[in-house]
């Protein structure tokens, strides 16, 4: 069963009303765009023609035992609840592995819902009822043990292509998200825009989910590289931090915002970071060896 976008948006507004009644204090439900609900209402009333951005918000949950908090980040696709909800829980009291296991279990639980069922409130209730065991597991793992079994993680590197990256607020958000999630890589601004992000799989996927604006049409993950590791993945990183990459532009365009980046310089940058093979994947152009 599938519903129309307008029907889906009406259900989303209904669920948001329930959430605000459950969390009435200011700041408990933090909308990414404070005008999101108003824009949806205008769209449903017909006073706005363009499809409004997705509803994105964070709810901070107080877990009673143990005394910890969980930030639940939620994105409602336009067709939710007829398509899957996008959400991710994180807590400073959980290590990466336990946070990953918690989110996998939450996703499996939401997978039992039928299309058309609202499930944010159910996800909140599940976290309040079931998250305790993940914190207790963390506590037990911190205690000295005679033998510790290595935990395998997936180290991921994503190569993301955008038609262009100019806007200051978008560039700022990309850098902030990259540094917050403890990933490394770069964001090359201009035309085209290239982003490389590397780190543990769940962090890279959350980065990819977070930076994608609902109206960012010309962006795609062109290539991904992954490897299993029992360590912290530091030896697999090609970059030491997450920074903005500024290269020379072709020509003098003054104040115009359509300058093309110097791909020759970008190729040299990739060579220095052992990533020359990605050039052809991103642009469909074979790189010429510097020795030829």
């Amino acid at each position: 069963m599938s519903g129309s976008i307008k029907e889906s948006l009406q259900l989303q507004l209904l669920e948001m009303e329930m959430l605000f009644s459950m969390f009435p204090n200011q700041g408990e439900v933090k909308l990414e765009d404070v005008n999101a609900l108003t824009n949806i209402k205008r769209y449903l009333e017909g006073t706005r023609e363009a499809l409004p951005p997705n509803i994105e918000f964070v709810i901070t949950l107080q877990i009673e035992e143990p005394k910890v908090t969980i930030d639940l980040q939620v994105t409602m696709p336009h067709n939710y609840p007829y398509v899957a909800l996008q959400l991710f829980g994180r807590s400073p009291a959980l290590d990466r592995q336990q946070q990953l296991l918690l989110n996998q279990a939450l996703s499996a639980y939401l997978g039992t819902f039928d299309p058309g069922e609202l499930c944010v409130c159910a996800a909140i209730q599940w976290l309040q009822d079931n998250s305790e065991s993940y914190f207790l597991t963390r506590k037990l793992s911190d205690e000295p043990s005679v033998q510790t079994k290595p935990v395998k993680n997936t180290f991921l590197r994503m190569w993301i292509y955008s038609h262009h990256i100019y806007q200051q607020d978008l560039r700022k958000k990309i850098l902030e998200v990259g540094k917050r999630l403890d990933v490394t890589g770069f964001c090359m601004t201009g035309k085209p825009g290239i982003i490389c992000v590397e780190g543990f799989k769940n962090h890279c996927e959350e980065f990819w989910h977070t930076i994608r604006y609902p109206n960012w049409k010309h962006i795609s993950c062109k290539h991904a590289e992954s490897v299993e590791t029992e360590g912290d993945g530091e030896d697999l990183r090609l970059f030491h931090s997450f920074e903005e990459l500024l290269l020379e532009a072709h020509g003098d365009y003054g104040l115009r915002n359509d300058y093309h980046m110097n791909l020759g310089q970008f190729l040299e940058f990739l060579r220095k970071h052992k990533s020359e093979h990605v050039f052809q994947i991103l642009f469909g152009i074979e790189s010429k060896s510097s020795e030829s």
Side-chain angles (χ1 to χ4, degrees), residues 164-199:
H164 61 268
I165 300 176
Y166 296 131
Q167 296 178 359
Q168 289 292 339
D169 57 342
L170 176 58
R171 292 161 60 181
K172 180 181 178 183
K173 179 175 182 178
I174 291 171
L175 291 176
E176 288 177 347
V177 174
K179 293 176 180 179
R180 171 170 59 81
L181 292 176
D182 191 30
V183 295
T184 52
F186 66 88
C187 170
M188 184 179 81
T189 60
K191 182 178 181 180
I194 305 295
I195 301 173
C196 174
V197 58
E198 59 179 9

Side-chain angles (χ1 to χ4, degrees), residues 18-268:
M18 290 189 289
L19 290 174
F20 282 118
S21 66
M22 292 171 58
F23 300 91
N25 297 326
Q26 186 174 4
E28 287 184 306
V29 180
K30 296 181 282 289
L31 287 166
E32 182 78 17
D33 180 359
V34 295
N35 297 316
L37 304 186
T38 300
N39 288 333
I40 288 178
K41 291 176 182 177
R42 290 174 55 201
Y43 178 77
L44 293 174
E45 293 167 355
T47 58
R48 173 192 171 105
E49 293 185 4
L51 191 64
N54 292 332
I55 300 176
E56 295 182 276
F57 59 93
V58 175
I59 296 179
T60 299
L61 305 177
Q62 303 291 334
I63 307 300
E64 292 302 318
E65 184 61 40
K67 292 288 186 180
V68 294
T69 61
I70 297 178
D71 283 340
L72 182 63
Q73 180 176 338
V74 182
T75 297
M76 294 179 169
H78 288 131
N79 286 323
Y80 166 78
Y82 296 99
V83 299
L85 186 71
Q86 299 172 9
L87 77 175
F88 189 89
R90 74 163 65 85
S91 172
L94 288 175
D95 61 27
R96 294 175 179 176
Q97 181 65 15
Q98 293 309 314
Q99 188 165 272
L100 176 63
L101 292 173
L102 174 69
N103 281 286
Q104 288 176 338
L106 176 58
S107 295
Y109 168 68
L110 295 182
T112 64
F113 282 68
D114 292 328
E117 288 189 87
L118 298 171
C119 56
V120 177
C121 295
I124 292 171
Q125 189 64 53
W126 187 93
L127 286 170
Q128 291 173 333
D129 293 342
N130 297 277
S131 62
E132 177 183 352
S133 60
Y134 295 90
F135 292 99
L136 293 178
T137 304
R138 164 73 186 277
K139 183 178 180 181
L140 291 172
S141 67
D142 289 341
E143 297 176 355
S145 59
V146 176
Q147 186 175 9
T148 303
K149 186 177 180 180
V151 176
K152 286 189 176 182
N153 291 298
T154 300
F155 185 87
L156 180 65
R157 184 177 300 110
M158 302 174 69
W159 295 91
I160 299 166
Y161 180 96
S162 174
H163 179 263
H164 61 268
I165 300 176
Y166 296 131
Q167 296 178 359
Q168 289 292 339
D169 57 342
L170 176 58
R171 292 161 60 181
K172 180 181 178 183
K173 179 175 182 178
I174 291 171
L175 291 176
E176 288 177 347
V177 174
K179 293 176 180 179
R180 171 170 59 81
L181 292 176
D182 191 30
V183 295
T184 52
F186 66 88
C187 170
M188 184 179 81
T189 60
K191 182 178 181 180
I194 305 295
I195 301 173
C196 174
V197 58
E198 59 179 9
F200 284 126
K201 182 174 183 287
N202 57 318
H203 288 174
C204 291
E205 290 180 344
E206 185 182 357
F207 173 92
W208 175 231
H209 164 69
T210 303
I211 67 166
R212 293 181 70 182
Y213 280 11
N215 58 350
W216 195 352
K217 299 177 181 178
H218 304 292
I219 184 171
S220 62
C221 180
K222 288 273 192 174
H223 183 54
E225 303 157 343
S226 63
V227 61
E228 295 292 323
T229 178
E230 293 179 352
D232 57 10
E234 292 303 314
D235 58 324
L236 299 173
R237 295 183 187 270
L238 298 180
F239 305 91
H240 301 295
S241 60
F242 191 87
E243 304 291 344
E244 189 170 60
L245 177 62
L246 298 174
L247 301 178
E248 293 179 2
H250 282 298
D252 181 11
Y253 289 88
L255 297 177
R256 285 175 56 187
N257 223 13
D258 59 354
Y259 50 87
H260 291 257
M261 303 313 297
N262 188 318
L263 296 186
Q265 285 187 357
F266 182 55
L267 176 57
E268 288 302 317

